[in-house]
Amino acid sequence: MLTTPYVTGTPNWIDLGTPDIDAANTFYNGVFGWQFQSAGPEAGGYGMFQLGGKTAAGGMTVPPEQGPPAWNVYFQSPDAEATAKAVEANGGRVVVEPMDVFDLGRMAIFADPAGAAYASWQPGKNKGLDSVNDPGSLAWLELYTPVPDAALAHYSAVYGWETSTMPLPDGSGTYTMVNPAGAGEEAMFGGVVPQAADPLEAQGDPYWLPYFTVTDCDATVAKARELGATVRMEPIDMEGVGRFAKLADPAGAKFAIMQGIEPQAA
């Protein structure tokens, strides 16, 4: 599971690029209770989605000609330049060269060998998201990719990720999970899924899908639909995991929600 403080290779930031950040604020406030706070004019419209005074995500307006609406995930790097070199040496591409973000940290944007976008954050004063796993916060990631083995080789070389597998409840195969080097399986934060195995994802481009924790999956889906979301997959149960659904916000950015299993009383 996601934890703080972060270590090398863990997801430590996530942000939304959207054509209208005010509209996005209205939507995500209704769904998760977030409040957008601008970082000021010097930040070019960038700001933070706050949840109970803690940062749950970042976001900014991105004109359509600069890219489609999307959630972007950042993995912690101790050295942005070294990470960029490792990306290129292992079949990936540097989309945005490492750059300082004031004194907050250093970022770079990449594409993996299949074209899935991701980024790195080298912390400065900003150590990462304040809130993870709590309701309305990032809890899990999934990479949909045509060739999981090639993707895992890339990210393991760049960040040192380790993997483990579990059988799928329906007996259709196995699910591959990733965790930071040396952190053990209790630090798993995401899964890697072959696109061909999921009809919903098979025809799209490779991408990282963020999951946010909710306390009531069905009620959250109903609220999101009311606010203009597209329900890409209705709520379903997964044995031993919980109940989840896949959505796209009114602008088209894809995300998912997960309601975990409540602990049983002894």
Side-chain angles (χ1 to χ4, degrees), residues 31 95 122 167 204:
V31 174
V95 178
Q122 178 184 336

Side-chain angles (χ1 to χ4, degrees), residues 6-15 39 46 48 55 58 72-81 83-84 87 96-110 118-130 158-159:
Y6 303 104
V7 299
T8 296
T10 57
N12 64 349
W13 194 257
I14 188 168
D15 61 20
Y46 197 91
M48 316 301 173
T55 298
N72 311 292
V73 61
Y74 296 68
F75 300 103
Q76 180 149 312
S77 166
D79 184 329
E81 275 71 20
T83 298
V87 167
V96 175
E97 294 285 346
M99 58 181 285
D100 289 326
V101 182
F102 307 111
D103 59 354
L104 301 176
R106 194 159 174 78
M107 65 164 284
I109 300 176
F110 311 121
Y118 69 102
S120 275
W121 181 253
Q122 178 184 336
K125 286 188 175 180
N126 184 340
K127 304 302 182 184
L129 299 174
D130 297 322
V158 173
Y159 293 114

